Amino acid sequence: MAKPKEVNLTKFELEIMEVLWDIGEASVREVQEKLHERKRPAYTTVQTIFARLEEKDAVRRTRKIGNAFLFEPLITRKSVYRRLIDQFLDLFGGSAEPVVARLVETGKLTLADLKAIEEQRAVASEPTEGSNRKRGRK
Amino acid sequence: MAKPKEVNLTKFELEIMEVLWDIGEASVREVQEKLHERKRPAYTTVQTIFARLEEKDAVRRTRKIGNAFLFEPLITRKSVYRRLIDQFLDLFGGSAEPVVARLVETGKLTLADLKAIEEQRAVASEPTEGSNRKRGRK
DNA sequence: ATCAAGCTACTACGATTGTAGTTTTTAATA
DNA sequence: TATTAAAAACTACAATCGTAGTAGCTTGAT
């Protein structure tokens, strides 16, 4: 049932999910309008993606407002990210080395960053939960 | 002319390239035999992938031995990895945070690893200021 | 010269994905 | 109630990918 599904999302599906994760529950129209103008696809395209996400049990319809359905996520951002990342690392034989090297090379990862993360983990290691809403930037 | 192409490789194409990068120049048969038995596709499947790699200018025929062609890579492992990684990070809005968090979580990245990499880089680029004492092993 | 084995060249096919059009339903309104 | 605008539902289609079959050419061995 509520078992964390093993869902593979495409890039576009992921973008839709990001919007949905951010606002929790949304109509097709709402999501479509949140997409950046430059790459905003037709309404029906977004509809199609929603249909596929439903098919994959990644979202579900909650209720109907007027004649539009609202959708909500059935999978967490965290679980999707985890899967994406693990699959990606498999490309390199599971070794993180090329990825880390590139992160350092592009300045996206510094010692300070890592320290912060490790400390955070040390502190927050017991209250296991997936209610992680804030997106770290930087 | 020999400009580093922007080549997108699929998982399977990448596996073929890995073999080719390892041995430098190889026939279809050689590559096919190097693939792990469990997931070894038919000879003609590998051939098809080679044709697609040729199409993408990722490999080129060098010479003919008997009636078999030999192929060599036209792109470097490093450039492919870089592209893969950068594209992957784009999925997360270019933020490395989720990836780093996962690496730490799975124990694939520790402070020590990062220190080693950073020092290596510092040394490799320019030995300016003196905050490096330990050198990377590996 | 013949022939088998291996190789190339060509073709095929289903699944997935990005993309959107067409038809039908429904809710709001004139 | 008849009209209409929006959304749903269904359908389509081309590109890419994993996968491999088949036909025909090359070559080394009889």
Side-chain angles (χ1 to χ4, degrees):
Chain A
M1 8 256 90
K3 193 185 13 199
K5 300 290 182 348
E6 304 243 316
V7 184
N8 286 316
L9 300 182
T10 67
K11 184 167 163 47
F12 187 17
E13 286 168 353
L14 184 62
E15 274 176 53
I16 303 274
M17 290 303 295
E18 294 286 0
V19 176
L20 212 50
W21 282 320
D22 280 346
I23 62 191
E25 190 186 34
S27 66
V28 173
R29 180 64 71 190
E30 274 181 284
V31 170
Q32 194 234 354
E33 283 172 355
K34 284 259 163 61
L35 298 176
H36 286 305
E37 307 105 58
R38 268 308 124 80
K39 54 173 178 177
R40 185 181 298 151
Y43 178 88
T44 51
T45 304
V46 179
Q47 248 185 339
T48 302
I49 298 301
F50 264 101
R52 289 176 184 166
L53 285 172
E54 247 190 308
E55 187 70 23
K56 292 180 175 187
D57 288 314
V59 304
R60 125 185 118 175
R61 293 165 191 227
T62 52
R63 54 213 170 96
K64 202 167 183 175
I65 299 292
N67 58 357
F69 286 109
L70 295 192
F71 293 83
E72 74 174 6
L74 281 179
I75 54 183
T76 65
R77 184 180 256 147
K78 191 176 168 77
S79 74
V80 169
Y81 279 16
R82 197 174 55 214
R83 190 167 168 72
L84 275 175
I85 293 165
D86 289 353
Q87 278 181 345
F88 183 66
L89 292 178
D90 276 350
L91 282 185
F92 305 99
S95 158
E97 195 277 322
V99 178
V100 174
R102 181 63 182 163
L103 290 176
V104 173
E105 191 176 311
T106 57
K108 284 178 176 155
L109 175 60
T110 66
L111 257 176
D113 290 334
L114 186 50
K115 261 180 201 148
I117 289 172
E118 282 196 334
E119 273 161 28
Q120 213 176 323
R121 291 193 61 71
V123 170
S125 54
E126 26 147 336
T128 320
E129 194 19 51
S131 64
N132 203 348
R133 75 239 278 60
K134 193 166 66 188
R135 289 292 258 84
R137 24 117 254 130
K138 135 28 137 15
Chain B
M1 21 173 7
K3 197 205 347 219
K5 301 290 183 346
E6 304 241 317
V7 185
N8 286 316
L9 300 182
T10 65
K11 185 168 163 47
F12 188 17
E13 287 167 353
L14 184 63
E15 275 175 53
I16 302 275
M17 290 303 296
E18 295 285 358
V19 176
L20 211 51
W21 281 321
D22 281 347
I23 63 192
E25 189 188 34
S27 66
V28 174
R29 180 64 71 190
E30 274 180 285
V31 171
Q32 194 232 356
E33 283 171 355
K34 283 259 163 61
L35 298 177
H36 286 304
E37 308 105 57
R38 267 309 125 81
K39 53 172 177 177
R40 186 181 297 151
Y43 179 87
T44 51
T45 303
V46 179
Q47 249 185 337
T48 301
I49 298 300
F50 264 100
R52 290 176 185 166
L53 286 172
E54 245 189 312
E55 187 69 24
K56 292 180 176 186
D57 288 315
V59 305
R60 127 186 116 174
R61 292 164 192 227
T62 52
R63 55 213 170 96
K64 202 168 184 176
I65 299 292
N67 59 355
F69 287 110
L70 294 192
F71 294 84
E72 74 175 5
L74 281 179
I75 55 181
T76 64
R77 184 181 255 145
K78 190 177 168 74
S79 74
V80 170
Y81 279 18
R82 199 174 52 214
R83 190 168 168 70
L84 275 175
I85 292 165
D86 289 353
Q87 277 181 345
F88 183 66
L89 291 180
D90 276 350
L91 283 185
F92 306 99
S95 158
E97 194 275 322
V99 179
V100 175
R102 181 62 182 166
L103 289 175
V104 173
E105 191 176 310
T106 56
K108 284 177 175 154
L109 175 60
T110 65
L111 258 176
D113 290 335
L114 185 52
K115 261 182 199 149
I117 290 173
E118 280 197 335
E119 276 166 21
Q120 217 175 318
R121 292 191 59 72
V123 169
S125 57
E126 38 151 5
T128 344
E129 96 291 11
S131 68
N132 59 0
R133 73 253 259 75
K134 190 163 76 186
R135 59 208 325 116
R137 31 75 270 190
K138 90 110 63 74

